[in-house]
Amino acid sequence: MQTDQARPDSDPLKTAELWTRDGRTVAIATVIETWGSAPRPVGSHLVIDQDGNFEGSVSGGCVEGAVVSEAIDVIETQTPTTLEFGVADETAWRVGLSCGGKIRVYVEPVSNGR
Amino acid sequence: MDLSLLSQLNAERSARRAAILLTHLETGNQRIIRQGEVEDTDPLASELESRFLSGKSGQVETGSGTYFLTVDVPPTRIVVIGAVHITQALVPMAKQAGFDITVIDPRTAFATEDRFPDGSLLAKWPEDALLDVPLDAFTALVAVTHDPKIDDLPLQRALEADCFYVGALGSRKTHGKRCERLMEAGASEGNLARIDAPIGLDIGAASPPEIAVAILGAIIKALRKGTE
Protein backbone atom coordinates (compact mmCIF):
# COMPACT_ATOMS: atom_id res chain seq x y z
CA MET A 1 0.00 0.00 0.00
CA GLN A 2 1.22 3.48 -0.73
CA THR A 3 0.67 4.28 2.89
CA ASP A 4 2.60 6.36 5.24
CA GLN A 5 5.66 7.74 3.48
CA ALA A 6 6.66 9.60 6.64
CA ARG A 7 6.41 6.51 8.83
CA PRO A 8 6.88 3.49 6.63
CA ASP A 9 6.88 1.18 9.65
CA SER A 10 3.38 2.17 10.66
CA ASP A 11 0.80 -0.15 9.16
CA PRO A 12 -2.64 0.53 10.66
CA LEU A 13 -4.40 -2.36 8.90
CA LYS A 14 -1.90 -4.87 10.25
CA THR A 15 -2.14 -3.26 13.68
CA ALA A 16 -5.96 -3.56 13.50
CA GLU A 17 -5.67 -7.28 12.84
CA LEU A 18 -3.08 -7.75 15.59
CA TRP A 19 -5.06 -5.82 18.19
CA THR A 20 -8.29 -7.67 17.36
CA ARG A 21 -6.54 -11.05 17.69
CA ASP A 22 -5.22 -9.81 21.03
CA GLY A 23 -8.81 -9.50 22.21
CA ARG A 24 -9.07 -5.74 21.94
CA THR A 25 -12.11 -4.19 20.25
CA VAL A 26 -11.09 -2.06 17.37
CA ALA A 27 -12.35 0.43 14.80
CA ILE A 28 -10.73 1.52 11.54
CA ALA A 29 -11.06 5.09 10.27
CA THR A 30 -10.39 5.75 6.58
CA VAL A 31 -10.14 9.08 4.76
CA ILE A 32 -12.69 8.67 1.95
CA GLU A 33 -12.78 12.17 0.49
CA THR A 34 -10.71 15.35 0.72
CA TRP A 35 -11.12 18.92 -0.51
CA GLY A 36 -8.52 21.64 -0.51
CA SER A 37 -5.25 21.19 1.28
CA ALA A 38 -6.05 18.11 3.32
CA PRO A 39 -2.84 16.83 4.87
CA ARG A 40 -3.42 13.08 4.42
CA PRO A 41 -4.44 11.43 1.16
CA VAL A 42 -7.63 9.50 0.48
CA GLY A 43 -7.18 5.93 1.73
CA SER A 44 -5.16 6.86 4.84
CA HIS A 45 -6.08 4.84 7.92
CA LEU A 46 -6.24 5.30 11.66
CA VAL A 47 -6.85 2.33 13.93
CA ILE A 48 -8.39 2.87 17.36
CA ASP A 49 -9.13 0.52 20.27
CA GLN A 50 -11.81 0.70 22.96
CA ASP A 51 -9.46 2.54 25.32
CA GLY A 52 -8.62 5.23 22.80
CA ASN A 53 -5.19 3.92 21.84
CA PHE A 54 -4.54 4.67 18.21
CA GLU A 55 -2.04 4.24 15.41
CA GLY A 56 -1.82 5.78 11.95
CA SER A 57 -3.12 9.11 10.78
CA VAL A 58 -6.07 10.64 8.95
CA SER A 59 -5.10 14.30 9.16
CA GLY A 60 -1.57 14.68 10.41
CA GLY A 61 -2.85 15.48 13.88
CA CYS A 62 -5.61 18.04 13.27
CA VAL A 63 -8.71 15.94 13.90
CA GLU A 64 -7.35 12.69 15.33
CA GLY A 65 -8.75 13.46 18.78
CA ALA A 66 -12.30 13.87 17.45
CA VAL A 67 -12.03 10.77 15.27
CA VAL A 68 -10.80 8.73 18.23
CA SER A 69 -13.77 9.71 20.42
CA GLU A 70 -16.25 9.00 17.59
CA ALA A 71 -14.51 5.67 17.00
CA ILE A 72 -15.08 4.66 20.61
CA ASP A 73 -18.83 5.17 19.98
CA VAL A 74 -18.58 3.10 16.82
CA ILE A 75 -16.88 0.32 18.81
CA GLU A 76 -19.73 0.41 21.37
CA THR A 77 -22.58 0.47 18.83
CA GLN A 78 -20.77 -1.71 16.25
CA THR A 79 -22.26 0.57 13.57
CA PRO A 80 -20.19 2.32 10.89
CA THR A 81 -20.47 6.06 10.49
CA THR A 82 -19.16 8.82 8.25
CA LEU A 83 -17.62 11.96 9.78
CA GLU A 84 -16.94 15.22 8.06
CA PHE A 85 -14.42 17.83 9.15
CA GLY A 86 -13.72 21.13 7.52
CA VAL A 87 -13.44 24.84 7.92
CA ALA A 88 -17.20 25.27 7.55
CA ASP A 89 -17.81 22.85 10.38
CA GLU A 90 -17.87 24.04 13.98
CA THR A 91 -16.32 20.85 15.25
CA ALA A 92 -13.44 21.30 12.85
CA TRP A 93 -12.85 24.79 14.21
CA ARG A 94 -12.88 23.41 17.67
CA VAL A 95 -10.59 20.48 16.90
CA GLY A 96 -8.52 22.71 14.67
CA LEU A 97 -8.28 21.58 11.07
CA SER A 98 -6.20 24.68 10.62
CA CYS A 99 -4.85 23.56 7.29
CA GLY A 100 -7.97 24.89 5.58
CA GLY A 101 -8.94 21.56 4.08
CA LYS A 102 -12.01 19.42 4.41
CA ILE A 103 -12.07 15.69 4.90
CA ARG A 104 -14.64 12.90 5.19
CA VAL A 105 -13.73 9.93 7.30
CA TYR A 106 -15.46 6.54 7.33
CA VAL A 107 -15.27 4.79 10.70
CA GLU A 108 -16.11 1.10 10.94
CA PRO A 109 -15.85 -1.51 13.66
CA VAL A 110 -13.74 -4.65 13.19
CA SER A 111 -16.03 -7.54 14.00
CA ASN A 112 -14.53 -10.72 15.33
CA GLY A 113 -17.37 -12.93 14.05
CA ARG A 114 -15.56 -16.29 14.09
CA MET B 1 -14.94 -4.91 8.71
CA ASP B 2 -14.95 -8.57 9.47
CA LEU B 3 -11.71 -9.85 10.97
CA SER B 4 -11.47 -12.63 8.39
CA LEU B 5 -11.75 -10.06 5.58
CA LEU B 6 -9.13 -7.87 7.25
CA SER B 7 -6.71 -10.75 7.58
CA GLN B 8 -7.32 -11.76 3.94
CA LEU B 9 -6.49 -8.21 2.88
CA ASN B 10 -3.36 -8.16 5.01
CA ALA B 11 -2.30 -11.54 3.61
CA GLU B 12 -2.55 -10.15 0.06
CA ARG B 13 -0.50 -7.13 1.09
CA SER B 14 2.20 -9.20 2.81
CA ALA B 15 2.51 -11.35 -0.31
CA ARG B 16 2.96 -8.22 -2.47
CA ARG B 17 -0.26 -8.86 -4.39
CA ALA B 18 -2.63 -6.08 -5.42
CA ALA B 19 -6.16 -6.10 -4.00
CA ILE B 20 -9.07 -3.70 -3.65
CA LEU B 21 -11.38 -3.61 -0.65
CA LEU B 22 -14.79 -2.48 -1.86
CA THR B 23 -17.02 -0.89 0.80
CA HIS B 24 -20.63 0.06 0.19
CA LEU B 25 -20.79 3.20 2.30
CA GLU B 26 -24.55 3.09 2.98
CA THR B 27 -24.74 -0.55 4.09
CA GLY B 28 -21.15 -1.21 5.17
CA ASN B 29 -21.07 -4.36 2.99
CA GLN B 30 -17.57 -5.26 1.88
CA ARG B 31 -15.71 -7.57 -0.44
CA ILE B 32 -12.13 -8.02 -1.69
CA ILE B 33 -11.21 -8.14 -5.37
CA ARG B 34 -7.77 -9.40 -6.36
CA GLN B 35 -5.96 -8.12 -9.41
CA GLY B 36 -6.60 -10.37 -12.40
CA GLU B 37 -9.85 -11.62 -10.86
CA VAL B 38 -12.19 -8.83 -11.94
CA GLU B 39 -15.29 -10.41 -13.52
CA ASP B 40 -16.33 -8.92 -16.89
CA THR B 41 -19.90 -8.82 -15.61
CA ASP B 42 -18.94 -6.76 -12.55
CA PRO B 43 -20.64 -3.34 -12.92
CA LEU B 44 -17.48 -1.80 -11.46
CA ALA B 45 -15.10 -3.74 -13.75
CA SER B 46 -13.59 -0.77 -15.61
CA GLU B 47 -13.36 1.29 -12.43
CA LEU B 48 -11.56 -1.57 -10.67
CA GLU B 49 -9.13 -2.10 -13.56
CA SER B 50 -8.20 1.57 -13.74
CA ARG B 51 -7.75 1.73 -9.95
CA PHE B 52 -5.35 -1.22 -10.08
CA LEU B 53 -3.26 0.78 -12.55
CA SER B 54 -3.40 4.14 -10.77
CA GLY B 55 -3.05 2.65 -7.27
CA LYS B 56 -5.31 5.40 -5.93
CA SER B 57 -8.08 4.84 -3.39
CA GLY B 58 -11.33 6.74 -3.84
CA GLN B 59 -15.10 6.86 -4.02
CA VAL B 60 -17.35 5.89 -6.89
CA GLU B 61 -21.06 6.63 -7.29
CA THR B 62 -23.19 3.92 -8.88
CA GLY B 63 -26.89 3.27 -9.43
CA SER B 64 -26.80 1.10 -6.33
CA GLY B 65 -25.11 3.67 -4.07
CA THR B 66 -21.68 5.00 -3.17
CA TYR B 67 -18.72 2.70 -2.86
CA PHE B 68 -15.29 3.37 -1.41
CA LEU B 69 -12.37 1.52 -2.94
CA THR B 70 -9.37 0.98 -0.70
CA VAL B 71 -6.73 0.24 -3.31
CA ASP B 72 -3.77 -1.76 -2.13
CA VAL B 73 -1.00 -1.92 -4.66
CA PRO B 74 2.44 -3.02 -3.43
CA PRO B 75 5.23 -0.45 -3.60
CA THR B 76 6.91 -0.80 -6.97
CA ARG B 77 10.59 -1.47 -7.18
CA ILE B 78 13.20 -1.51 -9.88
CA VAL B 79 15.97 -4.09 -9.99
CA VAL B 80 18.89 -3.12 -12.22
CA ILE B 81 21.41 -5.70 -13.37
CA GLY B 82 24.59 -3.77 -14.05
CA ALA B 83 26.24 -0.97 -12.08
CA VAL B 84 27.07 0.99 -15.23
CA HIS B 85 26.92 4.72 -16.10
CA ILE B 86 23.25 4.54 -17.06
CA THR B 87 22.52 3.05 -13.65
CA GLN B 88 24.35 5.82 -11.82
CA ALA B 89 21.95 8.29 -13.42
CA LEU B 90 18.91 6.03 -13.06
CA VAL B 91 19.20 5.45 -9.30
CA PRO B 92 18.60 9.06 -8.12
CA MET B 93 15.93 9.69 -10.77
CA ALA B 94 14.03 6.53 -9.85
CA LYS B 95 14.20 7.42 -6.15
CA GLN B 96 12.80 10.88 -6.84
CA ALA B 97 9.95 9.31 -8.77
CA GLY B 98 9.15 7.18 -5.70
CA PHE B 99 10.55 3.79 -6.69
CA ASP B 100 12.61 1.48 -4.52
CA ILE B 101 15.67 0.58 -6.54
CA THR B 102 18.32 -2.12 -6.15
CA VAL B 103 21.42 -2.50 -8.28
CA ILE B 104 23.04 -5.89 -8.77
CA ASP B 105 26.49 -6.41 -10.27
CA PRO B 106 29.10 -9.06 -9.40
CA ARG B 107 31.91 -7.14 -11.11
CA THR B 108 33.84 -5.43 -8.35
CA ALA B 109 35.24 -2.80 -10.75
CA PHE B 110 31.71 -1.50 -11.31
CA ALA B 111 30.04 -2.35 -8.04
CA THR B 112 31.73 0.13 -5.72
CA GLU B 113 30.39 2.18 -2.84
CA ASP B 114 31.98 5.26 -4.46
CA ARG B 115 29.81 4.91 -7.53
CA PHE B 116 26.68 3.97 -5.56
CA PRO B 117 27.00 5.62 -2.17
CA ASP B 118 23.32 5.31 -1.24
CA GLY B 119 23.24 1.66 -0.24
CA SER B 120 21.26 0.51 -3.27
CA LEU B 121 23.99 -1.87 -4.39
CA LEU B 122 24.35 -5.65 -4.08
CA ALA B 123 27.81 -6.75 -5.27
CA LYS B 124 26.81 -10.34 -5.97
CA TRP B 125 25.88 -12.58 -8.86
CA PRO B 126 22.22 -12.17 -9.79
CA GLU B 127 21.51 -15.77 -8.84
CA ASP B 128 22.44 -15.00 -5.22
CA ALA B 129 21.27 -11.39 -5.10
CA LEU B 130 17.78 -12.28 -6.30
CA LEU B 131 17.31 -14.30 -3.15
CA ASP B 132 17.37 -10.96 -1.28
CA VAL B 133 15.11 -9.14 -3.75
CA PRO B 134 12.62 -11.61 -5.18
CA LEU B 135 11.10 -10.58 -8.52
CA ASP B 136 7.35 -10.21 -8.81
CA ALA B 137 4.57 -8.47 -10.77
CA PHE B 138 5.35 -5.14 -9.07
CA THR B 139 9.01 -5.20 -9.96
CA ALA B 140 10.65 -3.81 -13.07
CA LEU B 141 13.81 -5.56 -14.23
CA VAL B 142 16.41 -3.62 -16.18
CA ALA B 143 19.41 -5.53 -17.55
CA VAL B 144 22.22 -3.28 -18.73
CA THR B 145 25.53 -5.13 -18.30
CA HIS B 146 25.78 -6.22 -21.98
CA ASP B 147 27.17 -9.49 -20.64
CA PRO B 148 25.03 -12.60 -21.23
CA LYS B 149 26.66 -14.36 -18.27
CA ILE B 150 25.18 -11.70 -16.00
CA ASP B 151 22.03 -10.53 -17.83
CA ASP B 152 20.45 -13.72 -19.15
CA LEU B 153 19.46 -15.45 -15.94
CA PRO B 154 17.70 -12.46 -14.34
CA LEU B 155 15.90 -11.74 -17.63
CA GLN B 156 14.61 -15.28 -17.71
CA ARG B 157 13.56 -15.07 -14.04
CA ALA B 158 11.84 -11.73 -14.65
CA LEU B 159 9.71 -13.18 -17.45
CA GLU B 160 8.81 -16.18 -15.29
CA ALA B 161 7.91 -13.90 -12.36
CA ASP B 162 5.71 -11.73 -14.61
CA CYS B 163 7.60 -8.52 -13.81
CA PHE B 164 5.53 -5.56 -15.05
CA TYR B 165 8.48 -4.30 -17.05
CA VAL B 166 11.47 -6.19 -18.44
CA GLY B 167 14.07 -4.26 -20.42
CA ALA B 168 17.46 -5.18 -21.82
CA LEU B 169 20.20 -3.00 -23.25
CA GLY B 170 21.56 -3.86 -26.67
CA SER B 171 21.03 -3.38 -30.39
CA ARG B 172 18.42 -5.36 -32.30
CA LYS B 173 21.18 -7.75 -33.39
CA THR B 174 22.40 -8.29 -29.82
CA HIS B 175 18.82 -8.77 -28.73
CA GLY B 176 18.20 -11.30 -31.50
CA LYS B 177 21.04 -13.45 -30.22
CA ARG B 178 19.83 -12.98 -26.66
CA CYS B 179 16.38 -14.24 -27.63
CA GLU B 180 17.90 -17.34 -29.22
CA ARG B 181 19.78 -18.10 -26.00
CA LEU B 182 16.73 -17.49 -23.81
CA MET B 183 14.58 -19.64 -26.06
CA GLU B 184 17.09 -22.48 -25.69
CA ALA B 185 16.86 -21.97 -21.95
CA GLY B 186 13.10 -22.51 -22.18
CA ALA B 187 11.54 -19.06 -22.61
CA SER B 188 8.46 -18.88 -24.83
CA GLU B 189 8.22 -16.59 -27.86
CA GLY B 190 5.30 -14.71 -26.31
CA ASN B 191 7.33 -14.06 -23.19
CA LEU B 192 10.37 -12.89 -25.16
CA ALA B 193 8.19 -10.34 -26.97
CA ARG B 194 7.64 -8.70 -23.59
CA ILE B 195 11.30 -7.67 -23.34
CA ASP B 196 11.72 -3.98 -24.10
CA ALA B 197 14.71 -3.92 -26.45
CA PRO B 198 16.34 -1.72 -27.54
CA ILE B 199 15.65 -0.53 -24.02
CA GLY B 200 13.58 2.54 -23.12
CA LEU B 201 11.18 4.93 -24.81
CA ASP B 202 12.17 5.92 -28.34
CA ILE B 203 13.23 9.50 -27.59
CA GLY B 204 16.60 9.42 -29.32
CA ALA B 205 18.46 9.22 -26.00
CA ALA B 206 22.19 9.70 -26.60
CA SER B 207 24.06 9.92 -23.29
CA PRO B 208 23.83 7.54 -20.32
CA PRO B 209 21.61 9.96 -18.31
CA GLU B 210 19.32 10.38 -21.33
CA ILE B 211 19.06 6.61 -21.67
CA ALA B 212 18.19 6.50 -17.96
CA VAL B 213 15.33 8.93 -18.66
CA ALA B 214 14.12 6.75 -21.54
CA ILE B 215 14.22 3.67 -19.29
CA LEU B 216 12.40 5.36 -16.41
CA GLY B 217 9.78 6.66 -18.87
CA ALA B 218 9.21 3.16 -20.21
CA ILE B 219 8.87 1.78 -16.67
CA ILE B 220 6.32 4.44 -15.70
CA LYS B 221 4.37 3.83 -18.89
CA ALA B 222 4.23 0.09 -18.24
CA LEU B 223 3.15 0.75 -14.65
CA ARG B 224 0.44 3.32 -15.37
CA LYS B 225 -0.88 2.26 -18.74
CA GLY B 226 -0.26 -1.48 -18.61
CA THR B 227 0.93 -3.45 -21.62
CA GLU B 228 -0.99 -2.18 -24.61
Side-chain angles (χ1 to χ4, degrees), chain B residues 49-50 53-54 164 217-228:
Chain B
E49 293 293 4
S50 74
L53 289 175
S54 73
F164 75 90
I219 290 172
I220 293 170
K221 187 175 178 213
L223 177 67
R224 297 301 176 205
K225 299 185 83 177
T227 38
E228 291 164 312

Coordinates of all heavy atoms in Angstrom, one line a residue, chain B residues 49-50 53-54 164 217-228:
Chain B
E49 N -10.3 -1.9 -12.7 CA -9.1 -2.1 -13.6 C -8.3 -0.8 -13.6 O -7.1 -0.8 -13.4 CB -9.5 -2.5 -15.0 CG -10.1 -3.9 -15.2 CD -9.1 -5.0 -14.8 OE1 -8.0 -4.8 -14.4 OE2 -9.6 -6.2 -15.0
S50 N -9.0 0.3 -13.7 CA -8.2 1.6 -13.7 C -7.6 1.9 -12.4 O -6.5 2.5 -12.3 CB -9.0 2.7 -14.3 OG -10.0 3.2 -13.4
L53 N -4.4 0.1 -11.9 CA -3.3 0.8 -12.5 C -2.8 2.1 -11.8 O -1.6 2.3 -11.7 CB -3.6 1.1 -14.0 CG -3.8 -0.1 -14.9 CD1 -4.3 0.4 -16.3 CD2 -2.4 -0.8 -15.1
S54 N -3.8 2.9 -11.4 CA -3.4 4.1 -10.8 C -2.9 3.9 -9.3 O -2.1 4.7 -8.8 CB -4.6 5.1 -10.8 OG -5.6 4.7 -9.8
F164 N 6.4 -6.4 -14.2 CA 5.5 -5.6 -15.0 C 6.3 -4.9 -16.1 O 5.8 -4.4 -17.1 CB 4.8 -4.5 -14.2 CG 5.6 -3.4 -13.7 CD1 5.7 -2.2 -14.4 CD2 6.2 -3.5 -12.4 CE1 6.5 -1.1 -13.9 CE2 6.9 -2.4 -11.9 CZ 7.1 -1.3 -12.7
G217 N 11.0 6.4 -18.2 CA 9.8 6.7 -18.9 C 9.1 5.4 -19.3 O 7.8 5.3 -19.1
A218 N 9.8 4.4 -19.8 CA 9.2 3.2 -20.2 C 8.6 2.4 -19.0 O 7.6 1.8 -19.1 CB 10.2 2.3 -20.9
I219 N 9.3 2.5 -17.9 CA 8.9 1.8 -16.7 C 7.6 2.4 -16.2 O 6.6 1.7 -15.9 CB 9.9 1.8 -15.6 CG1 11.1 0.9 -15.9 CG2 9.4 1.4 -14.2 CD1 12.3 1.1 -15.0
I220 N 7.5 3.8 -16.2 CA 6.3 4.4 -15.7 C 5.2 4.2 -16.6 O 4.0 3.9 -16.2 CB 6.6 6.0 -15.6 CG1 7.6 6.2 -14.4 CG2 5.3 6.7 -15.3 CD1 8.1 7.6 -14.3
K221 N 5.4 4.1 -17.9 CA 4.4 3.8 -18.9 C 3.8 2.4 -18.7 O 2.6 2.2 -18.6 CB 4.9 4.0 -20.3 CG 3.9 3.8 -21.4 CD 4.4 4.1 -22.8 CE 3.4 3.9 -23.8 NZ 3.9 3.4 -25.1
A222 N 4.7 1.5 -18.5 CA 4.2 0.1 -18.2 C 3.4 0.0 -16.9 O 2.4 -0.7 -16.9 CB 5.4 -0.9 -18.2
L223 N 3.8 0.8 -15.9 CA 3.2 0.8 -14.7 C 1.8 1.4 -14.7 O 0.8 0.9 -14.2 CB 4.0 1.5 -13.6 CG 3.4 1.6 -12.2 CD1 3.4 0.3 -11.5 CD2 4.3 2.6 -11.4
R224 N 1.7 2.5 -15.4 CA 0.4 3.3 -15.4 C -0.5 3.0 -16.5 O -1.7 3.2 -16.4 CB 0.8 4.8 -15.4 CG 1.5 5.3 -14.2 CD 0.8 5.1 -12.9 NE 1.6 5.4 -11.7 CZ 1.4 4.9 -10.5 NH1 0.5 4.0 -10.3 NH2 2.2 5.3 -9.5
K225 N 0.0 2.5 -17.6 CA -0.9 2.3 -18.7 C -1.0 0.8 -19.0 O -1.8 0.4 -19.9 CB -0.4 3.0 -20.0 CG -0.4 4.5 -19.8 CD 0.0 5.3 -21.1 CE -1.2 5.4 -22.0 NZ -0.9 6.2 -23.2
G226 N -0.2 -0.1 -18.4 CA -0.3 -1.5 -18.6 C 0.4 -1.8 -19.9 O 0.9 -0.9 -20.6
T227 N 0.4 -3.1 -20.3 CA 0.9 -3.5 -21.6 C -0.2 -3.3 -22.6 O -1.2 -4.0 -22.6 CB 1.5 -4.9 -21.6 OG1 0.6 -5.7 -20.8 CG2 2.9 -4.9 -21.0
E228 N 0.1 -2.4 -23.6 CA -1.0 -2.2 -24.6 C -0.8 -3.0 -25.8 O 0.3 -3.5 -26.1 CB -1.0 -0.7 -25.0 CG -1.5 0.1 -23.8 CD -1.1 1.6 -24.0 OE1 0.0 1.9 -24.4 OE2 -2.0 2.4 -23.9

